[in-house]
Amino acid sequence: MSDADASGASDGDGSGAFGAAIERGEDVPLLTGSGEYTDDISLRGTTHLAIRRSDHAHARIESIDTSDAEAMEGVLAVFTGEDVVESGVPNTIPTAWDLPGLVQPQYRMLATDKVRHEGTPVAAVVAETRHAASDALEHIHVEYEELEHVTDPVDAVERDVPPVHDEAEDNVAFDFELGDADATDEAFADADRVASVDLRQPRLIPNAMEPRAALADWEEATGKLRLWMTSQNPHLHRMLLSAGTLGLPENKIQVIAPEVGGGFGSKIYHYPDEAVTAWCSMQLGRPVKWQATRSESYLTDCHGRDHVTTGEIALDDDGTIRGVRVETHAGLGAQLSQFGTATPSYLYATVLSGQYTIPAIHCRVVGAFTNTTPVDAYRGAGRAEGIYVIERLVDVAARELEMDPAELRRRNLVPPDEFPYESAAALVYDSGEYERAMDLALEHVDYEELRERQRELRDEGRYIGIGIGSFIESAGLSPSGLAGDLGAQAGGWESSIVRFDSTGSVTVLAGTADQGQGHRTTYAQVAAEELGVSVDDVTVVEGDTDRIPQGMGTYGSRSASVGGGSIARGAREVREKARRIAAHQLETSVDDIEFDDGEFHVAGAPDRSLHIQTIAHEAYLGHDLPEGMDPGLEETNFYDPENFTYPFGTHVAVVEVEPETGEIEIERYVAVDDCGEIINPMIVEGQVHGGIAQGIGAALYEGAAYDDDGHLRTRRMDEYVVPHATQLPDFETDNTVTPSPHNPIGVKGVGESATIAAAPTIVSAVADALEPFGVDHLDMPITPESVWRATGGDN
Amino acid sequence: MYTNDFDYYRADSVGEAVELLGDHDGAELVAGAHGLLPRMKTGDESPPALVDIGQLNGLDAIESSDGGSISVGALATHAEIADSEIVREHAAALADAASELGDPPVRNGGTIGGNLAHGDPRSDPPAALLALEGSLEVRGSDGERTIDAAELFEGPFETAVADDEIVTAVRIPTDDDAVSGYRKRRDPLSGYAMVGVGVWLRTDDETIEAARVAVTGATTTPARLSGVEDELEGSAVSEETITAAAAEAGTALDADAFVSDVQASAEYREHLLTIDTERALYDVLDVGQ
């Protein structure tokens, strides 16, 4: 499977935990149903919140009559946006990323003036049961004056439509540029050829298995709010609730993320709903629970993607890429979600160099307000959209040059000795052996032989296609200073506490927040490796702002590299303190103490030793410590990495397309990923499987659409599908290992890689299959009907 | 979403169920509840009362009778039908449809009587029933009657089963000289039939003596394809016949009969219907391909 030499990953001595394919400790509680999700938690006197949402895409609220709803049995209160305003809370959902010239319209918890997308919250009902609350919704009478709406990001800025926000008359939230326009123009003028592609990347709906939920408990006597919620970043939510919506001091808010059933980005954000839940508890003095239905998730969870793009690539006849130029319209939805501005700008434009040495790159991004659900980061966020563009361009260019697409890639890969590589899109890549991963992927499918088979089959009227997706990902956005320079309103660090308990067990408190990634297993492996203890001796705690002092959360493939890096650094500090205690008690100098498999021993005298867990006990006894040393054995660590990490790899898909019906069959899917050192191969493989599934979903099945009335047309699971297991091929996964030189444990992250890779790989394969029909690109999702039409079946 | 409020009654006999339906205006029957309940959760239907007949005994038997027919109890599940040797031998199209329907939980819970009375135009059994010229035995306040397949499907989610009637059995005529089958193209989104074609043919070795072909999924109401049937009947068993017959798949249907949705347009469905009719014929006939 892997050529990882895991023991080289860590300078801990011993336990072999790092790199082991051990089973996930979280699976037994999750699979047997004892795991506790937000909706499983009930407090005495819990009431239930339901939210009345706009049926219109764009309308002015004329009046809201809540009296009928208020009179219903079981209904405790009905609140409108005016009630929230009158309560005097700050009532502002903030962006978390500024851009030059950014228009930041007001974003309130409940709408007061206009509704700007279908699903905008306009009123809140609190009742004794969730059914009573839900039933009351239709008895709230809202009168609207309908306004003309716009759902397409190009129409929004180019057509004469009423603005979504008066502050942005032309619906432009920002007009962003990255790269050197003049140098790019020059490169295009000098190059032998130019190839281009016009493409759309449709909106995707995240579809976490657990819809969002919140349970708020306001305690009037202490002025403290406890809020259980489906959060990928409880500390960030605490900060945004404090500074943005509720105005409570941070130390009076406890955010708890219990088990969280998936996020894919959708649970990063501060939405109105959870703030309304908390605010209602503050009004009523009773616990209030809100559990989104799947229908609400479709309408309100931030969507992903939504780009309309023209990409151009300039090359010489020998295949040397000279420049890339991209102009894209990115739909932001009706409001700016926290990273809605960063995702289509910095996270997108900066990866347009992909794995290639491209001397000149220029990208312009027009961020457009539309009367749609807000768009923000969804697994792959920005990187997926950017890599999709460069990979489509390379394929189209290969066709233009009549060159094999693998060969064209090979000629332009950043060579291993060029790292750290500074791209023309403003990133410094840490490390990479791109050709090694590509070769391995091509080897798995017998690439040359496969091309031969493709030619033979074409003669028989059968059409197989070979798709290649070579990608990089920028993971673990950091350092904080750089993020700040680019506009981030939050840091890129992570924090943890590594603590030996007095009897030798270890508790790790981590500021990240698992939603299925398996942190309780992988973090235990990192700590166990550094401390020389068994994985079973380590308990990982996440997701509670009162227990874990600080943290940034889990998103952007950051947990292994930034969170894991922090834990490793903290564990090393703990180990070094233990070493000093060992030296003291063994009556030798620290330099003479060796550490092996949890045991400190005197160099040259292996029988004079103390186990680290014994020292933990000594540290808390405090009877016999080195002079001046404080008791206890724990460290708090803040880790601010010096750079992103750059996972990479090449995926290859083999598809067969039946032109008569347009049906696409995926014959093989090979994924070669390099995520640096591998903490747990089984978990990496799981991430790759899930990522491929979501990438294939985007390529062939998913794609949210709005109808002419501005209503979400794909509003249910039978109208928008997450691919079923039966619609996916067997995944063949493999790894190369190129450690990240600046990360303490050499890891790069793998949370989003496969999602980024799979969409362009599949589209590449379908387009390759359809080469005899002159088709070089099809927009996602590629349905059988779109293939049938592209091949002229409808003529 | 949540369903609207409704009253729930459990009937202990067919007679009691009929009575309950009569007593509660707008009440709906449920057995497996796999058709109705999802539509109640999406708000597409909100009956004020449900009458549950899922626990009734004796309505799930699958039997062949002497008079040249088989009888499938209305409460037989799709899984039971898919596994039934009697159905496989005498009504293969229905066995095919039952085995293609939904997923294992749906097949284990959903019942044939409910499926056919529900009239979901995307479901599989309707095309099989039409091709097999089966009929429903129903009981209501006015006693028992029989509804032929040809009279059953009146529109999307509209059938000839009256509000106070209960399907007790599905009867399918048997013919030892006939073959039948059902072919499904699954909608990747819903798992329902994007196109489903049921075929029943009686042949001697060389000639197609009688043909019945029906569609589900592609059209707003399950329907017989008379153009295909006319082309097949009396023609030689040959690849040419199949091609010519399949080409007639859309001819007897109204232009607006085809469904258009997010996944597939009416034009594309009409195209697929020709292809899948051809493939369904090849599935049951021993020629070519």
Side-chain angles (χ1 to χ4, degrees):
Chain A
M1 253 304 300
S2 162
D3 61 355
D5 175 12
S7 62
S10 162
D11 61 1
D13 285 303
S15 69
F18 193 110
I22 56 175
E23 289 182 4
R24 291 166 25 116
E26 37 273 89
D27 283 346
V28 170
L30 293 180
L31 294 174
T32 58
S34 67
E36 197 166 60
Y37 294 82
T38 300
D39 195 32
D40 296 327
I41 299 165
S42 253
L43 304 175
R44 194 169 58 182
T46 295
T47 65
H48 298 268
L49 167 68
I51 295 174
R52 172 66 184 262
R53 301 179 186 281
S54 149
D55 304 319
H56 298 295
H58 199 189
R60 192 180 309 281
I61 298 171
E62 306 235 293
S63 65
I64 305 177
D65 179 356
T66 59
S67 52
D68 285 354
E70 279 164 359
M72 290 178 69
E73 193 182 329
V75 171
L76 297 165
V78 183
F79 299 109
T80 68
E82 294 300 338
D83 296 321
V84 181
V85 171
E86 280 168 24
S87 75
V89 296
N91 192 13
T92 297
I93 295 176
T95 57
W97 199 293
D98 201 7
L99 290 174
L102 179 67
V103 179
Q104 295 194 51
Q106 191 175 53
Y107 185 4
R108 284 181 160 161
M109 290 156 56
L110 293 176
T112 49
D113 54 344
K114 285 183 188 173
V115 293
R116 294 181 168 85
H117 70 92
E118 186 194 15
T120 305
V122 294
V125 179
V126 184
E128 294 287 357
T129 68
R130 65 175 49 163
H131 297 102
S134 175
D135 286 347
L137 290 179
E138 64 184 274
H139 297 278
I140 299 170
H141 308 294
V142 188
E143 286 192 21
Y144 294 103
E145 178 202 345
E146 276 194 71
L147 302 169
E148 200 187 333
H149 64 269
V150 63
T151 57
D152 178 90
V154 177
D155 287 349
V157 300
E158 290 187 354
R159 265 184 43 205
D160 185 23
V161 290
V164 178
H165 295 279
D166 294 340
E167 298 92 323
E169 272 182 31
D170 52 2
N171 283 322
V172 174
F174 63 83
D175 193 338
F176 170 90
E177 284 188 65
L178 187 120
D180 188 331
D182 292 340
T184 306
D185 288 346
E186 222 168 281
F188 271 73
D190 288 350
D192 294 336
R193 300 197 194 210
V194 173
S196 70
V197 65
D198 292 320
L199 56 85
R200 302 181 75 99
Q201 297 189 63
R203 283 167 173 266
L204 300 176
I205 297 176
N207 265 305
M209 193 181 287
E210 180 200 19
R212 283 186 293 123
L215 169 63
D217 184 22
W218 168 252
E219 193 180 59
E220 185 71 43
T222 57
K224 179 159 180 175
L225 174 71
R226 283 190 299 164
L227 181 62
W228 288 260
M229 62 181 285
T230 47
S231 174
Q232 297 182 219
N233 27 246
H235 295 86
L236 193 60
H237 273 124
R238 180 178 65 169
M239 187 258 280
L240 294 166
L241 285 158
S242 170
T245 43
L246 301 180
L248 299 170
E250 246 183 305
N251 62 6
K252 294 293 187 186
I253 301 174
Q254 179 184 9
V255 175
I256 304 160
E259 297 291 1
V260 177
F264 312 117
S266 69
K267 292 169 182 168
I268 298 171
Y269 318 116
H270 184 13
Y271 296 88
D273 316 285
E274 292 86 347
V276 169
T277 309
W279 181 84
C280 286
S281 180
M282 292 166 69
Q283 307 312 303
L284 297 170
R286 285 180 65 178
V288 177
K289 184 187 280 186
W290 170 74
Q291 171 63 66
T293 62
R294 181 65 58 184
S295 310
E296 282 183 297
S297 295
Y298 270 45
L299 280 177
T300 68
D301 286 4
C302 282
H303 295 173
R305 320 294 192 242
D306 200 20
H307 278 246
V308 182
T309 310
T310 297
E312 297 170 282
I313 185 167
L315 309 92
D316 286 338
D317 285 333
D318 67 357
T320 306
I321 301 174
R322 302 286 301 272
V324 162
R325 189 157 51 202
V326 173
E327 178 162 338
T328 196
H329 283 71
L332 305 174
Q335 299 285 359
L336 297 179
S337 179
Q338 277 78 47
F339 299 104
T341 50
T343 300
S345 58
Y346 281 109
L347 295 181
Y348 169 83
T350 52
V351 300
L352 287 170
S353 198
Q355 293 192 351
Y356 315 110
T357 48
I358 302 177
I361 294 174
H362 181 256
C363 177
R364 179 179 175 217
V365 183
V366 177
F369 289 114
T370 57
N371 294 112
T372 61
T373 300
V375 178
D376 205 323
Y378 163 68
R379 197 175 191 176
R383 285 79 34 90
E385 296 92 305
I387 291 297
Y388 183 73
V389 173
I390 183 63
E391 286 301 283
R392 293 308 306 131
L393 280 173
V394 169
D395 269 3
V396 169
R399 185 94 49 105
E400 167 79 22
L401 291 169
E402 295 180 14
M403 187 179 285
D404 183 284
E407 179 57 25
L408 179 58
R409 284 177 170 82
R410 191 184 302 281
R411 288 190 189 184
N412 290 283
L413 295 175
V414 179
D417 57 5
E418 287 285 318
F419 291 90
Y421 173 74
E422 188 174 349
S423 81
L427 292 181
V428 180
Y429 296 0
D430 57 349
S431 61
E433 290 212 36
Y434 297 157
E435 193 167 14
R436 180 161 68 126
M438 190 171 95
D439 283 341
L440 185 56
L442 295 176
E443 217 172 273
H444 274 285
V445 296
D446 277 329
Y447 185 68
E448 294 306 327
E449 218 167 284
L450 195 58
R451 284 285 176 205
E452 185 54 40
R453 189 176 141 232
Q454 180 182 41
R455 281 187 286 273
E456 289 166 13
L457 286 174
R458 279 182 184 172
D459 292 340
E460 299 171 20
R462 286 178 58 191
Y463 301 92
I464 66 164
I466 306 154
I468 302 171
S470 297
F471 70 96
I472 61 145
E473 179 193 344
S474 48
L477 173 61
S478 57
S480 300
L482 172 71
D485 289 346
L486 303 182
Q489 307 296 303
W493 48 264
E494 196 44 79
S495 175
S496 63
I497 291 175
V498 175
R499 172 188 299 154
F500 262 107
D501 311 313
S502 62
T503 53
S505 59
V506 176
T507 301
V508 173
L509 307 173
T512 49
D514 182 283
Q515 322 111 51
Q517 288 85 353
H519 293 173
R520 275 164 279 184
T521 307
T522 47
Y523 284 171
Q525 290 179 262
V526 170
E529 179 74 28
E530 299 292 345
L531 299 172
V533 300
S534 157
V535 170
D536 295 336
D537 285 336
V538 184
T539 292
V540 176
V541 180
E542 284 187 319
D544 183 339
T545 58
D546 273 13
R547 294 176 75 188
I548 298 110
Q550 285 299 343
M552 289 302 299
T554 290
Y555 49 84
S557 305
R558 70 192 303 276
S559 294
S561 62
V562 193
S566 174
I567 290 163
R569 290 170 87 235
R572 287 172 194 177
E573 295 283 321
V574 164
R575 191 178 65 213
E576 290 320 301
K577 181 172 181 182
R579 189 193 302 271
R580 292 200 299 278
I581 298 170
H584 169 76
Q585 296 200 353
L586 293 169
E587 296 174 339
T588 184
S589 77
V590 172
D591 294 343
D592 283 341
I593 295 289
E594 292 176 346
F595 184 62
D596 182 24
D597 208 11
E599 208 72 49
F600 291 104
H601 57 80
V602 179
D607 54 329
R608 286 183 61 206
S609 71
L610 280 169
H611 196 271
I612 193 167
Q613 288 169 310
T614 308
I615 292 173
H617 187 62
E618 291 293 324
Y620 287 97
L621 281 177
H623 297 168
D624 185 17
L625 300 180
E627 179 134 3
M629 179 182 278
D630 294 329
L633 192 54
E634 72 167 53
E635 288 293 335
T636 299
N637 180 268
F638 279 78
Y639 172 47
D640 196 6
E642 66 183 68
N643 191 359
F644 288 93
T645 54
Y646 294 89
F648 64 91
T650 289
H651 290 199
V652 177
V654 183
V655 304
E656 177 162 4
V657 177
E658 183 183 62
E660 190 182 25
T661 59
E663 290 286 345
I664 299 159
E665 171 90 24
I666 304 173
E667 277 189 14
R668 293 190 62 186
Y669 194 98
V670 171
V672 175
D673 277 273
D674 193 320
C675 56
E677 297 289 357
I678 293 172
I679 301 169
N680 183 325
M682 188 160 58
I683 282 178
V684 166
E685 195 180 352
Q687 284 281 11
V688 172
H689 281 204
I692 297 170
Q694 278 175 311
I696 291 177
L700 299 182
Y701 300 109
E702 302 184 41
Y706 284 87
D707 66 17
D708 292 342
D709 295 327
H711 294 137
L712 188 63
R713 191 180 176 200
T714 49
R715 54 199 303 121
R716 317 195 315 211
M717 283 194 127
D718 61 356
E719 296 165 338
Y720 179 103
V721 87
V722 188
H724 305 181
T726 52
Q727 292 164 327
L728 297 167
D730 284 337
F731 305 134
E732 302 168 55
T733 61
D734 205 345
N735 295 99
T736 58
V737 176
T738 310
S740 176
H742 63 73
N743 180 279
I745 47 177
V747 304
K748 291 191 167 204
V750 73
E752 299 167 282
S753 293
T755 309
I756 293 168
T761 302
I762 294 292
V763 175
S764 170
V766 176
D768 186 58
L770 298 179
E771 185 182 7
F773 298 89
V775 176
D776 62 4
H777 173 74
L778 282 175
D779 275 338
M780 303 184 286
I782 305 180
T783 62
E785 178 166 355
S786 70
V787 171
W788 175 67
R789 289 187 184 280
T791 56
D794 55 337
N795 291 328
Chain B
M1 286 173 26
Y2 304 116
T3 64
N4 285 334
D5 275 349
F6 60 87
D7 294 326
Y8 173 87
Y9 302 94
R10 200 163 97 187
D12 291 325
S13 68
V14 172
E16 190 190 352
V18 171
E19 241 170 70
L20 284 164
L21 287 176
D23 290 348
H24 301 281
D25 206 25
E28 294 274 359
L29 285 173
V30 289
H34 281 78
L36 187 62
L37 209 53
R39 286 173 60 79
M40 290 171 66
K41 287 184 177 177
T42 55
D44 290 319
E45 296 191 39
S46 332
L50 294 183
V51 176
D52 189 348
I53 54 167
Q55 318 291 324
L56 293 187
N57 292 323
L59 276 184
D60 59 355
I62 299 174
E63 297 163 329
S64 62
S65 63
D66 301 335
S69 69
I70 66 168
S71 166
V72 179
L75 291 184
T77 64
H78 305 300
E80 286 162 355
I81 292 168
D83 289 346
S84 161
E85 282 178 27
I86 293 172
V87 179
R88 173 58 58 194
E89 186 182 340
H90 297 292
L94 185 62
D96 289 347
S99 65
E100 287 281 348
L101 185 148
D103 54 17
V106 174
R107 291 196 288 274
N108 285 327
T111 62
I112 187 66
N115 176 281
L116 292 169
H118 189 53
D120 189 331
R122 306 164 298 173
S123 192
D124 305 292
L129 190 80
L130 284 165
L132 294 166
E133 283 194 343
S135 57
L136 301 190
E137 292 173 5
V138 303
R139 232 173 93 183
S141 50
D142 294 336
E144 295 183 4
R145 67 176 181 127
T146 298
I147 303 172
D148 290 337
E151 311 298 320
L152 179 62
F153 302 106
E154 297 179 335
F157 301 100
E158 287 174 27
T159 62
V161 181
D163 289 346
D164 68 343
E165 284 181 328
I166 295 175
V167 180
T168 54
V170 180
R171 189 163 293 281
I172 294 167
T174 59
D175 183 335
D176 291 343
D177 296 326
V179 290
S180 74
Y182 171 78
R183 184 179 186 93
K184 176 179 190 175
R185 182 179 300 273
R186 223 167 240 274
D187 183 313
L189 299 165
S190 64
Y192 285 108
M194 179 186 279
V195 180
V197 179
V199 174
W200 176 96
L201 301 171
R202 191 174 65 231
T203 64
D204 64 21
D205 285 345
E206 286 158 10
T207 310
I208 299 169
E209 295 173 350
R212 302 197 292 257
V213 181
V215 60
T216 192
T219 50
T220 53
T221 307
R224 290 272 289 271
L225 301 176
S226 58
V228 179
E229 295 173 357
D230 292 347
E231 188 67 33
L232 290 170
E233 287 188 353
S235 298
V237 175
S238 70
E239 294 186 35
E240 291 72 23
T241 295
I242 289 173
T243 305
E248 300 295 323
T251 52
L253 296 167
D254 291 340
D256 59 359
F258 288 95
V259 175
S260 192
D261 62 19
V262 173
Q263 187 63 24
S265 68
E267 187 190 4
Y268 178 59
R269 275 191 163 85
E270 188 171 358
H271 167 72
L272 292 176
L273 179 59
T274 302
I275 290 173
D276 290 333
T277 299
E278 184 171 9
R279 293 179 183 180
L281 291 169
Y282 275 112
D283 286 344
V284 297
L285 285 175
D286 192 17
V287 290
Q289 290 202 345

